[in-house]
Amino acid sequence: MRTLADILRSIGSAVATVVTLPFRLVAKLLGGASRGGRARRA
């Protein structure tokens, strides 16, 4: 049962990364263009 939870958690995090990546790229492009590249976060 614990292994199944770990698998679901890893799948969920991978899906979340794939879903949020394009939005973060667009935000970085728009933010960098409008703010002169100051919107950089570690």
Side-chain angles (χ1 to χ4, degrees), residues 16 21 32 39 41-42:
L21 241 165
R41 278 193 231 167

Side-chain angles (χ1 to χ4, degrees), residues 3-15:
T3 308
L4 181 63
D6 286 340
I7 292 172
L8 288 176
R9 193 177 301 123
S10 61
I11 290 174
S13 66
V15 169

Side-chain angles (χ1 to χ4, degrees), residues 3 12 14 20 26 32 35-36:
T3 308
T20 56
V26 170
R35 297 182 198 177

Side-chain angles (χ1 to χ4, degrees), residues 27-38:
K28 186 187 288 187
L29 287 174
L30 295 178
S34 64
R35 297 182 198 177
R38 281 188 308 151

